[in-house]
Amino acid sequence: MLVLVINCGSSSVKYNLIETEGESEVCSGIVERIGAVTSIVKHQPAEGDYLKDTKVISNHSEALLEIMNYLLSPESSLISSPSDIKAVGHRVVHGGEMFKDSVLIDNVVKDAIEQAFDLAPLHNPPNLKGIQAAEERLPDVPHVAVFDTAFHHSLPAYAYLYGIPNRLYRRHKIRRYGFHGTSHYFVSRQYYKLTDKHKKDTKVITCHLGNGASIAAIRGGDSVDTSMGFTPLSGMVMGTRSGDLDPSILFYIVEKEELPLNSLHAMLNRHSGLLGLSGYASDMRDLIAEANNGDRRCQQAIDVFCYNIKKYVGSYIATLNGCDAILFTAGIGENSALIRKKSMENLDILGIEIDDERNENVKPGRIEKISSDSSRTDIYVVPTNEELVIAIDAAKIASASDQSPWV
Ligand code: AMP
């Protein structure tokens, strides 16, 4: 089934056209800087030339029109009619407590996504705009919402409740939700498939290490704990996000720096993490290059990042009472042998041992085992594919089939 996957930010629309039977991508692209003087449009067909252009695109509806026009154009010849697309899968960041699974979008679902605006003010409003714009362009096709939070719905209360007055949970739903659910789900299923392990008997820790980073403990196929919380700001130190803090620090900063409370949002989300620590960059490649040139603060940022991984992995081994596999994914997890090695150093007491040669020789885009033969815990690099999860869920729901293609 041909499925269009849409991921909308406040000024961008990313898309992937995916043929779900062969799990193959037909085309991908992005419209960026929507609403700016000029917007940037990029299309990358699987077979054919990369196309980059600048245009005036003032809203998400025009961005969707631009994408559809390209897919239908004689030069791309990717589809001959909008009806070739059989479903649209939408990435929606926050499903609140309501959505435990992907769902066919109707007015009730759109209202519920809107009700979760307060929980994810940066993400859910553009996600809903994207849904409305895509419905306008493809009115006769089923639209499906796939939530970043859904996979973590299996967290037990003792893992999702914070130590604050319980009425705040009951009144305002303040609790741990967790994010990157489609990625943690996908890489854990790839491991079960690869090793022929039955998910019921398997315990894994998934490390999604990209610009945003989160770690999850998965028992019997279900997420039982994860590092991100009420919002994607908590847990690991990330590219520009702080990760976990002592909450008192916030009051202290406001007082000492004489800052308005609302300026903390930008500081914690955009000026902290690896960027804040290093004072140089949020991008791990830049930090590694500069640390190799002797920059002490870049080295410290890398050290903090790796120590965070080690602490979460250690605590999740306790959560799971052991662990069959640790899976590294996303930009840093898939591509940096250094970060994988450093974060897994000196864990032999827990039966975790990387094989340096395997680790150094991981080929991009491949699932590779990097643990030594004597390691009691498997360690793998597993490329993530969140768009494929969204496409397959959308296809499944659109065809009203109960048959999950996943283990
Ligand atoms: P993502 O958000 O998954 O696209 O990941 C982006 C992050 O992956 C950035 O911090 C990149 O610097 C990092 N990254 C990509 N390739 C490499 C690499 N070869 N070595 C280290 N970090 C990398």
Side-chain angles (χ1 to χ4, degrees):
M1 185 185 286
L2 199 57
V3 178
L4 183 64
V5 173
I6 301 286
N7 182 357
C8 280
S10 56
S11 63
S12 68
V13 177
K14 265 195 224 163
Y15 79 92
N16 305 75
L17 188 64
I18 293 175
E19 180 50 70
T20 53
E21 268 95 56
E23 299 189 357
S24 60
E25 184 165 274
V26 179
C27 187
S28 64
I30 186 165
V31 180
E32 291 171 299
R33 297 164 54 114
I34 295 169
V37 181
T38 49
S39 307
I40 301 167
V41 179
K42 297 174 192 166
H43 301 287
Q44 177 65 73
E47 287 161 25
D49 293 334
Y50 170 72
L51 191 135
K52 183 174 173 184
D53 205 355
T54 52
K55 298 203 168 170
V56 179
I57 293 177
S58 41
N59 54 44
H60 288 71
S61 169
E62 288 177 21
L64 256 298
L65 180 62
E66 168 65 30
I67 292 166
M68 286 307 297
N69 283 346
Y70 171 75
L71 297 177
L72 285 160
S73 65
E75 54 166 326
S76 80
S77 62
L78 290 166
I79 54 172
S80 51
S81 146
S83 63
D84 290 351
I85 296 173
K86 302 295 181 205
V88 184
H90 294 269
R91 177 184 182 214
V92 179
V93 167
H94 216 306
E97 283 209 312
M98 186 158 172
F99 296 108
K100 299 180 170 52
D101 223 328
S102 305
V103 62
L104 191 66
I105 297 172
D106 58 15
N107 286 337
V108 176
V109 171
K110 281 187 272 188
D111 283 350
I113 292 171
E114 196 168 344
Q115 276 163 31
F117 276 11
D118 281 351
L119 297 174
L122 299 180
H123 296 104
N124 273 30
N127 293 162
L128 185 59
K129 264 193 200 162
I131 291 170
Q132 287 157 340
E135 281 179 335
E136 197 186 323
R137 303 297 165 200
L138 290 159
D140 302 321
V141 172
H143 290 252
V144 172
V146 180
F147 300 92
D148 266 24
T149 45
F151 180 55
H152 301 298
H153 252 276
S154 39
L155 258 61
Y158 58 75
Y160 72 65
L161 286 174
Y162 290 116
I164 54 177
N166 191 267
R167 69 184 155 77
L168 295 173
Y169 165 61
R170 283 178 279 122
R171 268 195 212 163
H172 305 297
K173 300 293 172 209
I174 298 173
R175 50 160 284 181
R176 181 184 305 282
Y177 289 97
F179 298 86
H180 291 143
T182 46
S183 180
H184 292 292
Y185 173 84
F186 180 77
V187 297
S188 57
R189 269 55 191 173
Q190 292 291 87
Y191 175 73
Y192 307 145
K193 262 199 224 169
L194 179 82
T195 55
D196 257 346
K197 295 208 174 185
H198 197 282
K199 68 176 181 183
K200 187 168 74 58
D201 312 315
T202 309
K203 303 168 187 175
V204 299
I205 297 172
T206 44
C207 305
H208 178 108
L209 310 174
N211 265 325
S214 69
I215 301 192
I218 301 171
R219 181 194 294 126
D222 296 331
S223 175
V224 292
D225 204 354
T226 188
S227 58
M228 283 181 170
F230 179 60
T231 71
L233 182 56
S234 77
M236 294 265 314
V237 156
M238 303 174 224
T240 61
R241 290 178 227 156
S242 64
D244 287 341
L245 289 181
D246 175 343
S248 303
I249 292 172
L250 304 184
F251 306 111
Y252 197 72
I253 295 173
V254 166
E255 194 189 312
K256 292 287 173 194
E257 298 267 312
E258 295 178 14
L259 287 174
L261 198 57
N262 59 12
S263 69
L264 287 182
H265 188 269
M267 189 201 87
L268 296 174
N269 278 286
R270 295 206 291 273
H271 308 295
S272 296
L274 296 172
L275 175 64
L277 280 164
S278 66
Y280 178 71
S282 61
D283 192 288
M284 188 55 86
R285 281 165 297 199
D286 296 342
L287 291 173
I288 292 172
E290 221 32 40
N292 287 341
N293 288 336
D295 187 295
R296 191 175 54 89
R297 288 208 287 159
C298 289
Q299 185 59 57
Q300 276 176 347
I302 295 168
D303 293 346
V304 171
F305 188 78
C306 293
Y307 183 60
N308 273 208
I309 301 169
K310 180 181 278 197
K311 274 214 297 199
Y312 271 105
V313 166
S315 70
Y316 288 166
I317 287 175
T319 296
L320 296 171
N321 187 18
C323 168
D324 298 298
I326 298 165
L327 311 177
F328 283 94
T329 196
I332 300 170
E334 291 171 34
N335 296 302
S336 178
L338 174 82
I339 300 297
R340 295 190 297 258
K341 179 179 163 66
K342 222 172 141 41
S343 58
M344 295 292 101
E345 248 165 20
N346 300 323
L347 288 176
D348 43 316
I349 187 81
L350 297 176
I352 294 168
E353 212 176 80
I354 278 197
D355 179 302
D356 285 340
E357 203 181 323
R358 287 177 186 164
N359 185 39
E360 289 291 341
N361 290 305
V362 171
K363 292 178 197 68
R366 295 263 307 266
I367 304 180
E368 303 259 13
K369 184 173 178 175
I370 58 167
S371 45
S372 69
D373 291 337
S374 56
S375 180
R376 292 201 303 279
T377 306
D378 284 345
I379 312 175
Y380 276 86
V381 175
V382 183
T384 193
N385 193 340
E386 296 168 87
E387 293 77 19
L388 182 61
V389 175
I390 297 173
I392 287 183
D393 261 15
K396 190 176 71 179
I397 289 173
S399 60
S401 155
D402 294 333
Q403 281 287 309
S404 171
W406 303 105
V407 185

